Every structure is written in structure tokens, then in C-alpha cells.
Amino acid sequence: MNTEPRLRIAMQKTGRLSDDTQSLLKRCGLKLNVSDRRLLAHVSNMPIDIMRVRSSDIPGLVMDGVCDLGIVGDNTLQETALERALMGQKSEYIRTIGLNFGGCHLSIAMPEEFNYQGLQSLNGLRFATTYPQLLNRFARENGINVDFCLLKGSVEVAPRVGLSDGICDLVSTGATLEANGLKEVEVIFKSKASLIQTSTALPPEKQKILDTLLPRIKGVMKAKESKYIMLHAPKDKVEEVSALMPGKETPTILPLAGRDDLVAIHVVATETFFWETMEQLKSLGCNSILVMPIEKMMG
Ligand code: PRT
């Protein structure tokens, strides 16, 4: 039997974070078969196992040391940490790296007709929420008293059926609030997915696996946000063209065979490359402007 230590990572089985998490791990070169129904999926080319569970179970699994790492929304992470601390359970973890997906915010929303005049108008009201700890912390820090009723789903219908005055729920596009006649009045927490790890030091063999994985995760994220830009530019406009390139990378300038008047410029753009910039480049006499996605980056 192979007793080689394997790094265990918890990820959401199905839901809003599962596709992005799976795609991140695959782009890091992990070969995993998650099509089967097993709780634990083996990565065939690295000593890593993926535990596929509900999002809400991930922080606890990491805090208790059942999993070495987990990928979870900051909202679930903070709520669980506060709740466990309150119950005297282990609530420590390390937030290893913030990821660039799962963005949303936890907000207080009230019926459209509610006359919102600032935080004091929420004093003494009752809110339906899946996040009572985050709501309580916000209320405490802002000197207001709120009551809550705990709902695990369909939070947005609570005011309409008389269960609460307002809600405290996650928002991304705002469409659900609008469809339910609610308006956002306070953002109380901004969230993204994070990679977390146990607060106790990993054994050296596992740390070594993590040391290989982390630069890959950073590389995938950087690549996702970057573009490779290639264009032909008039030789006498190189400075103006370079100044238009987004990001901090120095452009590579190459001669073009048989052309004394043009050069090729290549650059990795680390910021959004807008159509407007392309139009400005065109008006400077540039042509063959290509903007390409980057798959991986290192260094
Ligand atoms: O796995 P488990 O069932 O325990 O977790 P879960 O019920 O939280 O799963 P899921 O898949 O709904 O959410 C997983 C994580 O995705 C959340 O914990 C957040 O970190 C993140 N996320 C990002 C969101 C949203 N955006 C989001 N919009 N989670 C939920 N929503 C819901 C929100 O609750 C509301 O019902 O979407 C609705 C609002 O969306 P908009 O676009 O209409 O504003």
C-alpha cells in the first residue's frame, strides 16, 4: 500500500464555486476525475486528494484539520469562524490566498417602499438571513440592535410573507432583490473565494506539495487577468504606442523583415485592454493588432 502523504483539499461539490474551483485546479495541471460520485477524488499525477462537500462544511473541515486546505467563499468562512468561536470550537485558519472568482457582497435589503434614512432606521428591526453572525457583528460595530430569523434558502421572500422586516443576503447582480421588490440599503461584507489552510504547520512532505501548487495557482490567476498583445507600429511612433500599453511590463520591440518603417511590438498587458485603446493605436498607424488570452504564467 502506498503511504506517501497526500495533501487533502476541500472544495464545493456542486454550486456556484464548484466549476471555477475545478477549472482552477485543472489549469494548475491537476488531473482529477470528479465525474464519479465519490466524496474523495484522487488526483492521478500529484499526491493530492480532493474532498467534495457542501460549501458550508469546508471551513470546519479545515479548522478541525480533517482537510489541509479548502476553497470557500469569505462569507461562509467568516460566518463559520464567528459561530465556532462563539461555541468554543476551533476557529483558527490561515487565509493562504484570495482567489479571483465567487465575487459577491452581503447586504441588508429592505422593501422598496421602506423609508431608509441611514443605519438608525434599521434599529430594532428583524432580518431574515443565513448569516446571523456577520449581521450581528455589523450591528454591534455600528451601534444598532437587530433581531434575526435564520433561513437557509429563499431569504428574499421573508419580508413579503411577514417573517421579517428586511433581509441580509448575498447579492451579485442585484436581479433577485429587484425581482422581489427589495432595495439594497447597506453592504455589510464583501466576499470572494479564498484558499485557506489549517492553522497548524503542515508536515514537510505536505508543505512541499503546497509549495509546488501555490505558484501554479498564482500563475493561473495572473494569466486569467492578463493578455498578450502583438501589433505592428510605425517606427517613429514607438514611444507613443508603448505609453498606451496597459500594465507595467516593458514591451518587446522587434524588427520586421523587409520593412524599415514598421516594427513589431509584443507586450503582456496586466490590465484590461479596451477597444478604445485599440482605436487609439489604429489612429497612430498601428495594424495587425492582436489581443490574445494567456494560459499560464510564471515568474
Ligand atoms: O454548498 P452549500 O450548499 O453549502 O453552499 P451555498 O448554499 O452557499 O452554495 P451556493 O452555490 O449558492 O454559493 C456558494 C458561494 O458562492 C457563496 O457562499 C458565495 O461565496 C458565492 N456567491 C457568489 C453567491 C452568489 N455570488 C450569489 N449571488 N452565493 C449565493 N448567491 C445567491 C444569493 O444568496 C441570492 O439568492 O444568489 C442570489 C442573488 O444573486 P443576484 O445575482 O440575483 O444578485
Side-chain angles (χ1 to χ4, degrees):
M1 202 175 91
N2 189 357
T3 54
E4 184 189 20
R6 298 177 71 84
L7 197 69
R8 189 179 285 174
I9 308 177
M11 66 166 271
Q12 189 188 31
K13 188 172 184 194
T14 45
R16 287 171 188 263
L17 300 181
S18 55
D19 284 352
D20 282 327
T21 304
Q22 210 170 299
S23 140
L24 171 69
L25 296 176
K26 283 192 172 165
R27 290 182 73 190
C28 286
L30 273 65
K31 288 197 177 137
L32 66 152
N33 178 8
V34 291
S35 58
D36 61 39
R37 295 183 175 276
R38 280 180 305 174
L39 174 70
L40 214 56
H42 283 260
V43 173
S44 59
N45 60 340
M46 282 178 90
I48 296 176
D49 290 331
I50 307 295
M51 197 160 171
R52 296 160 64 227
V53 292
R54 290 194 67 163
S55 213
S56 45
D57 290 334
I58 295 175
L61 288 168
V62 173
M63 289 163 189
D64 287 335
V66 176
C67 292
D68 305 300
L69 300 167
I71 293 179
V72 67
D74 293 331
N75 52 307
T76 311
L77 181 60
Q78 286 286 310
E79 179 68 21
T80 313
L82 291 169
E83 188 183 294
R84 286 173 69 102
L86 205 68
M87 295 195 305
Q89 295 172 333
K90 277 186 79 175
S91 58
E92 296 81 26
Y93 61 89
I94 297 167
R95 187 169 175 271
T96 316
I97 181 173
L99 304 170
N100 54 0
F101 60 84
C104 57
H105 43 277
L106 184 65
S107 291
I108 293 182
M110 301 302 293
E112 285 291 356
E113 61 281 7
F114 182 79
N115 179 20
Y116 185 66
Q117 306 260 325
L119 277 174
Q120 282 307 320
S121 10
L122 304 178
N123 210 6
L125 299 186
R126 181 176 162 89
F127 297 90
T129 188
T130 315
Y131 300 93
Q133 303 301 334
L134 286 171
L135 173 62
N136 265 336
R137 185 176 72 180
F138 175 81
R140 226 178 18 252
E141 286 172 359
N142 287 282
I144 52 170
N145 284 314
V146 294
D147 189 11
F148 69 86
C149 63
L150 184 65
L151 283 186
K152 294 284 183 188
S154 305
V155 174
E156 57 284 345
V157 300
R160 216 178 330 137
V161 297
L163 207 57
S164 66
D165 300 296
I167 69 165
C168 174
D169 197 17
L170 297 175
V171 180
S172 44
T173 61
T176 306
L177 292 185
E178 204 182 318
N180 286 280
L182 297 166
K183 62 180 177 195
E184 191 172 17
V185 297
E186 288 290 335
V187 173
I188 73 165
F189 186 80
K190 290 193 179 152
S191 180
K192 273 194 173 183
S194 288
L195 175 75
I196 56 163
Q197 70 182 86
T198 50
S199 58
T200 45
L202 292 173
E205 303 89 341
K206 287 191 179 184
Q207 185 60 48
K208 213 169 137 198
I209 310 168
L210 180 58
D211 290 344
T212 305
L213 187 60
L214 261 187
R216 292 191 187 184
I217 293 180
K218 288 180 187 160
V220 169
M221 290 202 303
K222 205 167 161 204
K224 200 171 158 188
E225 286 155 10
S226 305
K227 295 277 178 280
Y228 194 80
I229 299 164
M230 289 163 63
L231 53 86
H232 295 168
K235 224 172 184 173
D236 58 348
K237 294 281 169 43
V238 167
E239 258 182 48
E240 283 163 82
V241 170
S242 302
L244 281 175
M245 295 300 185
K248 296 169 196 73
E249 302 278 334
T250 315
T252 304
I253 299 167
L254 302 160
L256 272 176
R259 295 293 300 257
D260 285 340
D261 55 333
L262 288 178
V263 287
I265 298 184
H266 293 196
V267 70
V268 173
T270 50
E271 290 164 18
T272 313
F273 194 68
F274 295 106
W275 279 106
E276 288 77 2
T277 315
M278 289 181 85
E279 285 151 9
Q280 279 172 288
L281 289 167
K282 190 104 187 68
S283 66
L284 283 173
C286 298
N287 58 46
S288 305
I289 308 168
L290 298 179
V291 180
M292 291 172 290
I294 297 172
E295 196 182 296
K296 296 184 181 75
M297 278 176 97
M298 197 169 268

